[in-house]
Amino acid sequence: IWNLEVNSLSPIEKVQNIDTSTQIILLHGDNDEIVPISIATKYVEELKAKNKNVNFKILRGQGHEIAFNQNVFEAIQGVIE
């Protein structure tokens, strides 16, 4: 993948390929210094513009490394319930 253009790796470029019946849950930390929250927000806006079913949850105080974090588990549990 390292020889591909950056846009070809971006999820926003693939929005049109997502079936409208697909439930999308996007979790993003507001302290993410690797992927700014503005990129996640643009992705969510594009999903909504294309009538995709998206649930966007901003994790306050979280950075890029959110895996195995209790706050993440609680956010996922809240979305599922």
Side-chain angles (χ1 to χ4, degrees):
I1 65 170
W2 301 114
N3 61 344
L4 299 174
E5 290 187 34
V6 172
N7 283 347
S8 70
L9 301 174
S10 173
I12 204 165
E13 299 297 324
K14 307 299 181 190
V15 168
Q16 71 278 3
N17 298 337
I18 300 172
D19 189 275
T20 55
S21 67
T22 302
Q23 172 66 41
I24 301 162
I25 301 171
L26 180 62
L27 305 174
H28 197 97
D30 66 350
N31 277 344
D32 191 333
E33 295 178 1
I34 296 173
V35 179
I37 193 79
S38 61
I39 291 176
T41 302
K42 287 179 187 176
Y43 183 50
V44 169
E45 289 171 358
E46 184 66 17
L47 288 163
K48 289 181 178 181
K50 299 285 194 268
N51 297 315
K52 308 303 178 182
N53 190 2
V54 60
N55 188 331
F56 182 38
K57 176 82 172 167
I58 297 173
L59 303 174
R60 303 287 175 209
Q62 297 299 309
H64 191 74
E65 307 289 327
I66 63 173
F68 304 112
N69 182 300
Q70 185 61 35
N71 292 335
V72 175
F73 287 126
E74 290 171 8
I76 292 170
Q77 186 176 16
V79 169
I80 292 171
E81 296 174 346

